C-alpha cells in the first residue's frame, strides 16, 4: 500500500497511529473491465482508492445515450461522492475501462475516523478542494474552449490515455461526435 500512503500523506502530514487506523478501513478488491464500481440509482456507501487501472464516470440519459464526465487514472479516489454526502441516490456511473485494483472502505467508517483523526479529515478536505477545482476547470473548458482546444487540453490532462480507451469515449468526454474527433485529429496530424 505504499502508493496509497504516499498519495494520501502528500496532502498533509498524518500521525502514524491515525494512518494505521485509516489504512485498516480499506480492503483490496478487483474490478474487471466492464464492471461498475457504482451505478446510477444506487445509494453510495463506499469510497475507493484506484491503485491500478482506468475508470470512466458517465451519465446515461433516458434514450440510453452516454456522456463521459471524467476519467480516473491511478492513483486517485473514486466513488459516488455527491451521493455519499447528500444521502441521495447516485446519478453517475463509474465503469472500469480496464482491469482495476482498488482499495474499498465504508464511508460511514471513514466518517467515524474523522471524529478522532483531524489530520485524516484535513487531508480529505484538501482532496475535496482539489476535486472542486478540477470540476470548475472542466466546466470552464466546456463553455469557453472550442472542440480542438478541448481535445488539446484532454491530451495534456490525460497523456497516453488515447492508447488505452476507445475513441468514442474521448469524443463523448469532449462533447463532440467521433467523426468530429477524427477530423480534429487529422487536422492536428497535418500541422
Amino acid at each position: 500500500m505504499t502508493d496509497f500512503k504516499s498519495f494520501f500523506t502528500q496532502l498533509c502530514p498524518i500521525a502514524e497511529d491515525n494512518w494505521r487506523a485509516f489504512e485498516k478501513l480499506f480492503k483490496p478488491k478487483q474490478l474487471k473491465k466492464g464492471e461498475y464500481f457504482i451505478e446510477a440509482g444506487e445509494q453510495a456507501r463506499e469510497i475507493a482508492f484506484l491503485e491500478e487501472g482506468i475508470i470512466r464516470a458517465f451519465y446515461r440519459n433516458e434514450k440510453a445515450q452516454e456522456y463521459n464526465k471524467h476519467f480516473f487514472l491511478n492513483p486517485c479516489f473514486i466513488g459516488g461522492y455527491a451521493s455519499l454526502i447528500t444521502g441521495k441516490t447516485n446519478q453517475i456511473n463509474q465503469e472500469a475501462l480496464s482491469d482495476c485494483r482498488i482499495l474499498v472502505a465504508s464511508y460511514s467508517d471513514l466518517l467515524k475516523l474523522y471524529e478522532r483523526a483531524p489530520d485524516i479529515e484535513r487531508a480529505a478536505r484538501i482532496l475535496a478542494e482539489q476535486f472542486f477545482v478540477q470540476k470548475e476547470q472542466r466546466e470552464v473548458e466546456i463553455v469557453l474552449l472550442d472542440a480542438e482546444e478541448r481535445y488539446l487540453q484532454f491530451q495534456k490532462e490525460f497523456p497516453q490515455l488515447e492508447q488505452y480507451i476507445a475513441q468514442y469515449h474521448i469524443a463523448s468526454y469532449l462533447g463532440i461526435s467521433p467523426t468530429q474527433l477524427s477530423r480534429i485529429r487529422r487536422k492536428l496530424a497535418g500541422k
Side-chain angles (χ1 to χ4, degrees):
M1 288 196 193
T2 309
D3 289 334
F4 179 44
K5 184 174 184 178
S6 63
F7 176 86
F8 200 75
T9 57
Q10 75 179 349
L11 299 168
C12 73
I14 307 291
E16 193 57 38
D17 57 333
N18 289 343
W19 173 255
R20 283 192 299 273
F22 180 68
E23 184 179 48
K24 284 180 185 174
L25 298 178
F26 289 84
K27 305 297 180 222
K29 182 178 177 181
Q30 304 285 325
L31 283 180
K32 295 289 184 196
K33 181 179 178 176
E35 287 185 324
Y36 288 80
F37 177 69
I38 189 166
E39 293 186 68
E42 294 179 353
Q43 172 66 47
R45 290 181 168 69
E46 297 176 322
I47 192 161
F49 180 77
L50 179 61
E51 287 189 301
E52 183 178 299
I54 304 165
I55 291 180
R56 73 175 175 132
F58 70 97
Y59 300 95
R60 185 180 292 126
N61 70 14
E62 64 281 347
K63 296 178 184 176
Q65 295 169 306
E66 296 178 356
Y67 300 92
N68 287 329
K69 178 184 180 290
H70 191 71
F71 295 107
F72 295 100
L73 307 173
N74 62 299
C76 69
F77 280 88
I78 61 170
Y81 197 60
S83 177
L84 289 169
I85 292 170
T86 64
K88 296 180 180 176
T89 57
N90 184 54
Q91 296 181 8
I92 302 169
N93 300 287
Q94 293 183 1
E95 176 191 25
L97 293 180
S98 67
D99 289 347
C100 297
R101 281 187 343 201
I102 59 176
L103 299 170
V104 182
S106 158
Y107 188 67
S108 63
D109 290 346
L110 186 59
L111 291 177
K112 290 173 194 167
L113 180 61
Y114 288 167
E115 296 298 319
R116 64 179 198 273
D119 50 355
I120 298 289
E121 184 179 35
R122 185 177 314 113
R125 178 189 47 82
I126 292 168
L127 190 60
E129 289 169 350
Q130 290 174 356
F131 285 146
F132 176 82
V133 170
Q134 282 179 341
K135 182 180 180 342
E136 185 176 275
Q137 181 180 339
R138 172 85 171 123
E139 290 168 354
V140 168
E141 290 169 7
I142 289 290
V143 173
L144 298 181
L145 301 181
D146 67 28
E148 183 176 320
E149 292 169 323
R150 289 195 307 272
Y151 176 64
L152 292 171
Q153 184 62 34
F154 167 83
Q155 288 182 314
K156 185 177 172 183
E157 187 177 347
F158 299 107
Q160 310 301 319
L161 185 58
E162 287 182 84
Q163 299 172 28
Y164 301 104
I165 65 172
Q167 293 301 303
Y168 68 88
H169 284 311
I170 298 168
S172 172
Y173 176 79
L174 297 173
I176 61 177
S177 71
T179 304
Q180 287 173 288
L181 178 57
S182 292
R183 283 190 208 120
I184 291 169
R185 293 178 77 209
R186 275 196 305 275
K187 178 183 172 190
L188 293 172
K191 286 185 177 181

